[in-house]
Each structure stands twice: as structure tokens, then as C-alpha cells.
Amino acid sequence: DSGVTQTPKHLITATGQRVTLRCSPRSGDLSVYWYQQSLDQGLQFLIQYYNGEERAKGNILERFSAQQFPDLHSELNLSSLELGDSALYFCASSVAYVSGLNTGELFFGEGSRLTVL
Amino acid sequence: GNSVTQMEGPVTLSEEAFLTINCTYTATGYPSLFWYVQYPGEGLQLLLKATKADDKGSNKGFEATYRKETTSFHLEKGSVQVSDSAVYFCALNAAQGVYSSASKIIFGSGTRLSIRP
């Protein structure tokens, strides 16, 4: 058990709809990352938050948005869903620093599997 | 930009065989390098890491050496077991400076490993 909790584990919805995925990081971790894993695209970095603020952005579509709340949990919002958005969405957390250095070591949740029909 | 290229799978070996999974990277600066493993139905977990050139990361019999001159971080294990069957991901931390809270952990496409008894 990594200590990172993601809900829901599975979600089936229709094209054009909007969904919210939730992530609770490990206790004490300030940094949250979102990744999309699909069969043909591998593991794609979407976005990173640190202590409530966006810090790094990857290939995140404009239809997608995320935020990190004061209690450090994070939500990924996916809107105007398309068939191609079907994927496994992972959240990961990290302490971000050890002795002042950026470690880059991530702890992953089990993922939320989104199916768009 | 930053990227990771790893050998395509699937790789199928017999138990006790020698394993090599190749990984090369492109990055500015001096990224930290990682191997993550994903067992069926689970999220990714860190297998080993190296933070500077010539460092060797090791864990559970797996090893990888950070080679700056060849920009490589190949994963090796001398004698694989059936329990090593999983998908292996090479990754780098394209941090925005070692003291920064911003990270882009970039993953390769993954290599599926299957071990026959």
C-alpha cells in the first residue's frame, strides 16, 4: 500500500460528460502529480501541484483541469469527454524535498479507470 | 526536450535467465534517473534510482548504472524469477533545478516482462 488513495476506481460515462477524479496523497507529502496511462500513449505527465499551487505542466488538454486543496487532496476534472479520453488516470505524491533537494521519487495510487462510451 | 526511450516489449525469458532492459534519455542538465515497476492491477512503484553520473541504483537483485557519456540507464538482473513478471518503466526527473519544488517526471513507454517457469 503506497498510502495514496484514488477514487473512484472505475468510472463509465458517455461522451460529452464531465467527471471528477479525486486523490489523497500520502500523509506529509506536499506534491501531487497526475498521469494518464493509455495503451497507445504510455504514461503521460499531465500536471503537478505543490502545496496548493501549480508547479509543472505537461500534455494536459484544455478540457482538463486540476487543483490541490488546502488539505492537500487533489482533484482532476475532465470535461466534454471524448472516446479517446478512456484511460487509466494515476495520481502520485512525493515529499518533494529531502534535505532541500528535489528527489523526484513518486508514490502512486492504484489509478482510476475511466471508460467513455 | 526531455524524453526517455526504452526497448519495446514484450520480453519473455525463462526463469533464472539474465535480464537487460535498455533505457536511454535526452535531457538538459543532470536529471535523476529511475526505474519503476508496475505489477498487474497495481500502480507504479519505485524499483531503484540514481541521482548523478556513475551512480549505481540497486534493489531486489536489479541494478542500473547512470551513464552520462552514453545517456543510458539500462536495467539488469542476473537471474530472473516468475515473480518479476511486470511492466518496467524508465523515468527521469526533469526538475526545474535541484532545489525547486517543480518536477516533471517523464516516463518511457514501458517494457512488459514475462518470465516462464
Side-chain angles (χ1 to χ4, degrees), chain A residues 33-85:
Chain A
Y33 303 73
W34 286 97
Y35 285 86
Q36 179 191 58
Q37 185 179 38
S38 55
L39 284 176
D40 59 345
Q41 293 284 327
L43 201 65
Q44 297 293 314
F45 170 69
L46 296 179
I47 198 163
Q48 181 223 352
Y49 281 83
Y50 175 77
N51 205 19
E53 293 188 11
E54 181 185 308
R55 277 286 186 262
K57 213 165 187 175
N59 302 320
I60 188 166
L61 300 173
E62 286 192 12
R63 299 184 286 108
F64 296 1
S65 65
Q67 54 184 325
Q68 186 180 27
F69 295 87
D71 67 352
L72 300 177
H73 91 272
S74 178
E75 293 181 355
L76 179 67
N77 300 296
L78 314 174
S79 62
S80 303
L81 285 168
E82 301 175 0
L83 295 177
D85 297 328

Side-chain angles (χ1 to χ4, degrees), chain B residues 5-112:
Chain B
T5 303
Q6 59 182 106
M7 65 187 285
E8 293 191 14
V11 174
T12 303
L13 297 172
S14 297
E15 205 166 20
E16 299 183 3
F18 183 85
L19 168 71
T20 299
I21 301 178
N22 290 336
C23 171
T24 57
Y25 67 91
T26 302
T28 53
Y30 304 96
S32 296
L33 301 175
F34 308 85
W35 277 99
Y36 280 81
V37 58
Q38 185 180 26
Y39 297 103
E42 298 182 12
L44 282 74
Q45 54 186 276
L46 180 67
L47 180 60
L48 54 84
K49 67 178 182 181
T51 56
K52 60 184 188 297
D54 299 326
D55 265 3
K56 178 185 281 189
S58 61
N59 187 25
K60 298 181 182 179
F62 290 90
E63 292 183 341
T65 301
Y66 190 142
R67 300 285 187 202
K68 185 170 178 296
E69 63 276 13
T70 54
T71 62
S72 65
F73 193 55
H74 304 321
L75 182 68
E76 297 182 337
K77 186 174 185 182
S79 176
V80 293
Q81 305 301 313
V82 172
S83 58
D84 294 326
S85 298
V87 181
Y88 292 81
F89 292 89
C90 185
L92 66 83
N93 179 10
Q96 314 293 302
V98 70
Y99 296 106
S100 170
S101 59
S103 291
K104 273 191 189 182
I105 315 298
I106 308 297
F107 286 82
S109 55
T111 302
R112 182 175 299 277

